[in-house]
Amino acid sequence: MTQATLRNFVNGKQCEPRDGRYSDVIDPSTAESYASAPVSSAADVDDALRAARDAFETWRDTTPAERSRALLKFADAIEARSAELTEAECRNTGKPLAIASTDEVPPSVDHLRFFAGAARVLEGRSAGEYLRDHTSMIRREPIGVCAQVTPWNYPLMMGLWKFAPAIAAGNTVVLKPSDTTPVSTVLLAEIAAEFFPPGVFNVVCGDRDTGRAMVANPIPAMVSITGSVRAGMEVARTAADDLKRVHLELGGKAPVIVFDDADVESAAKAIANAGFYNAGQDCTAAARVIAGPRIAADLADALAEQARSTKTGGLDVTDANYGPLNNPVQLSRVSGFLDRTPAHATVAAGGHAISGPGYFFEPTIVSGLRQDDEMIQDEVFGPVITVQRFTDEDEAVRWGNDVRYGLGASVWTKDHARALRVSRRLDFGVVWINTHLPFIAEMPHGGFKHSGYGKDLSMYGFEDYTRIKHVMSYTGE
């Protein structure tokens, strides 16, 4: 079968990499190559960044209404081609079509429309006279060229979370998708070309060296990445040499604190859904259950039962709950955690890779782990949920906070006062109460500690792509 050959998308047109280097794009559900994508060099990156810099000179002067209108037309086009985008996303990631078609493309369109509206309501403090005979005002302006890097777990959605607010604010973008999942991002750029001037939205494919070249290049004024803690730290170090702004959304290890008054069966079902969704390849996955002393054993059993009834399969398996891990390295990583399970812990369900083609792993429940165990402290990024038993509220909060991450958490209880008290004490950027995982465009998403800084979504995320200028005018005679 003839394989597709992807191209970079720069200055409104497809471009071959200068040195002709390509890499295979693998379908994770079959472990077979089905396309090839450019491995862009520093020269390719520079071409894209120069195109974005040139486009910024005119795009920055467009009105909010003009930018909003272009984004809304783009959203309509994505919605009209949702089946094509969903198929591209699922072939690239192995996700079941039935899930991605409802859970990813429609919310992505909604988020895009939110930022189209946000472009027209950016506000600042009113002008005023704070010094006699002088009038001061605040301007919010676009930052400039934004270099952006997206991960392989949600390439389509994370791409929209990145470039939509940047473009809405008047910036121009060069975006690099993960080298394992470039297909839907390239398609987005091709669709966008109908609605944005050349150079406003550019896509370069490539590996880590391509991303490093983007960050090191002097043209970008801001770098935004969703990825691993290692990658985020490297980006921050490199960007510091040029004092670039940095926006980091990194890993997570979400505590799920379940108190004794919670309904065990309903909590187990919801937690399993939020822990196994997308094969656990989610920085906010419900990965780390911390349960009350009276319900811990029952909750572990209920979660194990949920795991045994959870089905994994490829894009055409209509009743699959999740698909494969993204690549063989990730499969090996997840398997390694289970291979190193300490003797004092129990694998109550799953625990193994699934034989056959593709990078599938069983839905897994592990109980009896201690707070300093590897599987508690480090992000597994697979369909693995751990269960610990706490003795009191203080211990639950202490264990919840005792990781280097600070992205998402949840509290499960019927006691409203306790829910608010514990949510205040948890050191995480988002805390859900009696639910876990939903996102909405109007509210911010972003973490603390090693989960990074900056916000995606919401007006807070939009404002991250602007700079503040004070303008003062002498008004005396």
Side-chain angles (χ1 to χ4, degrees), residues 268 276 298-310 348-350 363-365:
F276 298 141
D298 290 341
L299 183 58
D301 290 343
L303 285 168
E305 186 59 35
Q306 288 292 327
R308 285 187 283 270
S309 64
T310 297
T364 299
I365 303 295

Side-chain angles (χ1 to χ4, degrees), residues 229 249-257 282-290 371 376-379 388 393-411 419-433 435-436 439 444-455:
V229 174
E249 199 273 90
L250 309 177
K253 191 69 180 178
V256 181
I257 300 178
D282 191 307
C283 296
T284 54
R288 187 166 54 105
V289 174
I290 303 170
Q371 184 61 21
I376 297 297
Q377 291 294 321
D378 295 336
E379 186 175 34
Q388 296 169 270
E393 181 179 309
D394 286 341
E395 184 175 63
V397 172
R398 186 169 65 252
W399 285 357
N401 288 333
D402 181 29
V403 292
R404 59 179 177 154
Y405 305 98
L407 188 55
S410 61
V411 181
L420 293 182
R421 184 172 64 246
V422 173
S423 66
R424 176 180 58 82
R425 298 175 67 190
L426 287 170
D427 195 15
F428 294 82
V430 57
V431 179
W432 291 281
I433 296 174
T435 188
H436 194 109
F439 292 102
H445 171 64
F448 309 143
K449 300 188 290 187
H450 281 204
S451 291
Y453 43 82
K455 299 296 180 185

Side-chain angles (χ1 to χ4, degrees), residues 41-59:
S41 65
D44 297 312
V45 167
D46 193 62
D47 288 343
L49 290 168
R50 287 176 182 274
R53 183 178 61 187
D54 292 344
F56 178 65
E57 294 305 313
T58 52
W59 184 249

Side-chain angles (χ1 to χ4, degrees), residues 307-356:
R308 285 187 283 270
S309 64
T310 297
K311 185 174 182 177
T312 180
L315 71 165
D316 292 324
V317 181
T318 57
D319 60 343
N321 300 103
Y322 68 84
L325 297 172
N326 180 259
N327 54 73
V329 174
Q330 187 61 20
L331 179 62
S332 177
R333 172 179 166 80
V334 174
S335 298
F337 275 99
L338 274 298
D339 292 342
R340 297 187 299 272
T341 301
H344 56 262
T346 300
V347 179
H352 301 94
I354 298 173
S355 61

